[in-house]
Amino acid sequence: MILNNGVSSSGKTRAFGARIRRFESSHPSQKYEIIGILKGETRKFIMDDLADSLKLFGGTSNISLTKEVSDYLNILPGKMLNKTFSDGEIRIEIDENVRGRETFILQSTSNPVNDNLMQLLIITDALKRASARSITAVIPYYGYARQDRKVKPRVPISAKLVADLITVAGVNRVISVDLHAGQIQGYFNIPVDNLFAAPVILNYIRKHFKNNLSIISPDAGGVERARAFAKRLNASLAIIDKRREEPNVAAAMHIIGDVKGKTAVILDDMIDTGGTLVQAAQVLTQNGAKHIYACCVHPVLSGNAIKRIEESTIESLVVTNTVPLNKKASECSKIKVVSVSEILGEAIKRVYYSRSVSSLFV
């Protein structure tokens, strides 16, 4: 196919690549007249771009985020039957034509992790068998990410296994937010865009936490993230020395840096049981921090996390909506939610139009 008037003075068609690139970079609200040439026959098509060719399907893990992203893209969520049989098996039916369409599946593999993961795989298979042109898995929270290496003999690398399952199911590209370890991108043999929720969290900090800030990394692994935030906020940096005795149990030992009289903001990629966060807050209190706040991207909040946060010296906890809050978390007055829907929506739009997404990484 070439665009109208796509014939040169010599009678030869212009370079296809140059013309299609111009088409892909056009504004999404416009309509495009395309001429198809097949066996000497000329046919016309009118394409109403996003509304017709991009389909966004959402699993049950984060229905509200799917709606927000759809609103940002100004499209309706894809029509799909998503139910469970009486024996627990997942039933998926795609209720609209996706042949030749660019399809996106928004599904966090959060609690219940295995159900949501299986749902993602089955939706992918359904789209593949319905002849979708491409399938992009938008996974705001990537479950099993903490099992990214062998920490002792005879244990699996589950993060790699999940990557293999997603790829074999038929996904062509993955979009995620703040992977627990950046090297997880290398577990896939398909393109992976690891976005960051930093812009929305930074905006919240600038508006609500002012004067004499100190950004706190709760462990050595988060120093790079905390340093980047401190630089953008013109704040100081401190590090909590933490020693983990067993899974889900952490002991915060002491602090590296000065927090006396400062507004401390603990920064982490996720909060699970809340043990690390609460113990970090205790250390900060003992070292004279004036105010203590916390920010994280993925509010997993399992076990007694809410109770620990409510009883801690943390004044407020800022989280994103990559993982939907459970009932207890929603009722907690300390928890404030900021949305990553615009970041995900913009990434989807740029992937669809083959534009750069690198500006979303900062």
Side-chain angles (χ1 to χ4, degrees):
M1 289 185 182
I2 58 174
L3 293 181
N4 203 5
N5 298 325
V7 180
S8 66
S9 58
S10 64
K12 296 181 179 178
T13 57
R14 296 178 184 174
F16 177 80
R19 303 304 294 164
I20 198 67
R21 280 195 295 274
R22 185 181 300 178
F23 167 71
E24 288 176 337
S25 63
S26 300
H27 194 275
S29 64
Q30 295 176 347
K31 292 185 177 181
Y32 309 93
E33 182 176 82
I34 306 175
I35 296 178
I37 301 177
L38 181 62
K39 296 181 179 179
E41 202 176 331
T42 302
R43 295 178 296 173
K44 284 189 175 183
F45 306 89
I46 299 293
M47 178 177 287
D48 191 358
D49 199 25
L50 276 182
D52 183 65
S53 296
L54 187 153
K55 300 295 181 182
L56 174 63
F57 295 90
T60 58
S61 71
N62 207 326
I63 297 172
S64 60
L65 181 56
T66 301
K67 179 64 168 58
E68 289 182 30
V69 174
S70 297
D71 290 344
Y72 178 84
L73 295 170
N74 196 28
I75 62 174
L76 294 174
K79 298 176 183 178
M80 178 178 64
L81 174 68
N82 190 340
K83 291 187 176 181
T84 304
F85 289 106
S86 58
D87 63 352
E89 293 180 1
I90 297 170
R91 177 190 176 191
I92 297 293
E93 291 181 16
I94 307 300
D95 288 338
E96 61 180 296
N97 180 29
V98 295
R99 184 178 296 274
R101 304 297 201 276
E102 305 278 352
T103 59
F104 295 79
I105 309 168
L106 197 154
Q107 175 83 331
S108 281
T109 50
S110 51
N111 187 39
V113 181
N114 299 326
D115 288 348
N116 286 332
L117 174 59
M118 198 65 200
Q119 191 179 112
L120 171 62
L121 300 177
I122 295 175
I123 296 172
T124 299
D125 189 71
L127 291 172
K128 179 178 67 176
R129 296 180 189 279
S131 301
R133 181 180 179 182
S134 71
I135 304 170
T136 299
V138 183
I139 311 174
Y141 171 70
Y142 185 87
Y144 288 102
R146 285 171 287 180
Q147 299 183 44
D148 60 344
R149 64 191 185 280
K150 291 188 68 172
V151 295
K152 60 177 69 174
R154 298 177 297 280
V155 296
I157 304 179
S158 302
K160 166 61 175 169
L161 174 60
V162 171
D164 289 341
L165 290 171
I166 291 172
T167 304
V168 171
V171 169
N172 305 113
R173 175 185 291 270
V174 170
I175 298 175
S176 193
V177 179
D178 280 276
L179 287 170
H180 185 65
Q183 63 265 26
I184 291 176
Q185 297 172 80
Y187 294 168
F188 291 87
N189 291 322
I190 56 177
V192 177
D193 294 312
N194 181 29
L195 306 178
F196 298 101
V200 293
I201 295 177
L202 280 169
N203 287 340
Y204 189 94
I205 292 175
R206 289 191 180 105
K207 290 179 181 178
H208 298 87
F209 309 149
K210 300 179 180 179
N211 303 324
N212 207 16
L213 284 179
S214 181
I215 304 300
I216 314 297
S217 173
D219 52 38
V223 172
E224 184 178 355
R225 182 188 306 106
R227 185 187 293 118
F229 270 68
K231 181 179 179 180
R232 286 169 172 78
L233 295 167
N234 194 27
S236 61
L237 175 67
I239 305 167
I240 302 292
D241 175 29
K242 180 188 71 176
R243 298 181 185 179
R244 191 181 296 275
E245 302 297 335
E246 58 184 272
N248 294 332
V249 178
M253 304 302 292
H254 63 273
I255 189 167
I256 302 171
D258 182 21
V259 296
K260 188 173 182 179
K262 295 187 176 182
T263 298
V265 180
I266 305 170
L267 188 67
D268 210 347
D269 65 323
M270 73 172 69
I271 297 175
D272 190 353
T273 60
T276 297
L277 178 68
V278 170
Q279 292 182 40
Q282 291 175 351
V283 173
L284 292 169
T285 300
Q286 294 167 4
N287 283 265
K290 187 176 182 180
H291 300 285
I292 300 174
Y293 303 99
C295 299
C296 85
V297 179
H298 308 298
V300 179
L301 302 175
S302 64
N304 294 322
I306 301 302
K307 182 180 179 181
R308 288 172 174 167
I309 291 169
E310 289 176 337
E311 295 175 352
S312 71
T313 56
I314 297 170
E315 296 179 34
S316 68
L317 168 63
V318 182
V319 303
T320 75
N321 57 347
T322 58
V323 177
L325 298 181
N326 55 40
K327 184 178 179 181
K328 288 185 178 179
S330 300
E331 295 172 351
C332 180
S333 59
K334 288 188 176 183
I335 297 179
K336 315 296 179 185
V337 181
V338 294
S339 179
V340 295
S341 60
E342 291 190 9
I343 294 174
L344 291 174
E346 188 63 26
I348 290 172
K349 187 185 295 185
R350 294 187 185 195
V351 167
Y352 175 76
Y353 286 111
S354 298
R355 296 172 180 169
S356 172
V357 296
S358 60
S359 62
L360 301 177
F361 294 160
V362 294

